[in-house]
């Protein structure tokens, strides 16, 4: 069995990449569906679900599982583990030669593709994020996987579109100028009614001095 060398250093580097992905996608991480982007667009055995393996020290991914027109898949294709958990990759011996290689600068690299059986590779994840990987011989057929680690990872935007500022949804504020106009109007109306009352009560005829 091949174990990843320099796991801490490589994971730390990937953690930086994961943090960058989180910033670009706008996801705060945790509490929402992981954002894989278009990574699984050609992966036939991915149904949108991420297997929950949190709470476990070790999780297993089958290499050469059924999918993509043969034993050309990882099973499960997407899995969520805790920070510090170890993921073991177990070869089925089916579908030809397979391997596990990170997309980009990630820490996963099982070496050359092989067609053996059993756990041939494992890696302990020490940084939160989403780690995407693929099989070199069968990437074009959709043999891809992803491991979600911890709680700080890019998430899908499931917001309800409530407006950018995050302001309250109360009634709109009334400008001060409108308030002043309303007060002035009230004063004029009161004065007018008062004068009308005086004319009605005492009449409009007054004696003028000679």
């Amino acid at each position: 069995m091949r174990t990843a060398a320099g796991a801490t250093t490589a994971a730390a580097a990937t953690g930086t990449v994961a943090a960058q992905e989180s910033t670009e996608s706008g996801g705060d991480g945790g509490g929402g569906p992981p954002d894989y982007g278009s990574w699984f667009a050609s992966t036939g055995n991915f149904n949108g679900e991420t297997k929950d393996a949190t709470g476990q020290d070790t999780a297993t991914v089958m290499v050469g599982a059924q999918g993509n027109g043969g034993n050309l898949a990882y099973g499960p294709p997407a899995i969520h583990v805790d920070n510090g958990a170890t993921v073991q990759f177990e070869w089925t011996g089916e579908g030809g030669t397979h391997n596990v290689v990170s997309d980009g600068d990630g820490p996963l690299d099982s070496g050359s593709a092989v067609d053996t059986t059993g756990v041939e590779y494992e890696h302990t994840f020490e940084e939160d994020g989403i780690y995407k990987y693929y099989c070199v011989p069968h990437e074009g057929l959709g043999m891809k996987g992803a491991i979600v680690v911890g709680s700080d990872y890019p998430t899908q935007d499931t917001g309800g579109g409530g407006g950018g500022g995050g302001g309250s949804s109360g009634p709109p504020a009334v400008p001060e100028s409108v308030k002043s106009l309303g007060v002035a109007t009230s004063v004029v109306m009161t004065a007018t009614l008062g004068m009308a009352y005086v004319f009605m009560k005492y009449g409009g005829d007054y004696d003028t001095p000679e």
Side-chain angles (χ1 to χ4, degrees), residues 67-197:
N68 302 308
N71 290 93
L72 304 171
Y74 296 108
I79 189 171
H80 186 185
V81 299
D82 291 327
N83 190 319
T86 298
V87 175
Q88 295 183 330
F89 295 87
E90 181 175 349
W91 269 246
T92 65
E94 302 291 336
T97 60
H98 306 295
N99 62 353
V100 174
V101 177
S102 278
D103 178 54
D105 297 327
L108 301 177
D109 186 358
S110 67
S112 300
V114 295
D115 59 356
T116 55
T117 59
V119 177
E120 293 291 331
Y121 178 66
E122 66 179 27
H123 182 81
T124 300
F125 294 88
E126 298 177 350
E127 292 287 341
D128 289 8
I130 296 179
Y131 298 80
K132 302 172 183 177
Y133 60 94
Y134 61 94
C135 172
V136 172
H138 304 117
E139 179 186 10
L141 298 176
M143 190 169 178
K144 298 179 179 180
I147 299 171
V148 182
V149 179
S151 59
D152 186 11
Y153 53 85
T155 58
Q156 298 177 21
D157 183 8
T158 57
S168 63
S169 58
V174 179
E176 290 297 326
S177 59
V178 176
K179 293 181 180 180
S180 300
L181 179 61
V183 172
T185 302
S186 298
V187 171
V188 172
M189 291 180 64
T190 302
T192 302
L193 291 174
M195 293 177 62
Y197 172 77

Side-chain angles (χ1 to χ4, degrees), residues 40-48 66-69 72-73 77 141-144:
F40 287 118
S42 62
T43 302
N45 68 319
F46 179 68
N47 60 2
Q66 182 66 37
N68 302 308
L72 304 171
L141 298 176
M143 190 169 178
K144 298 179 179 180

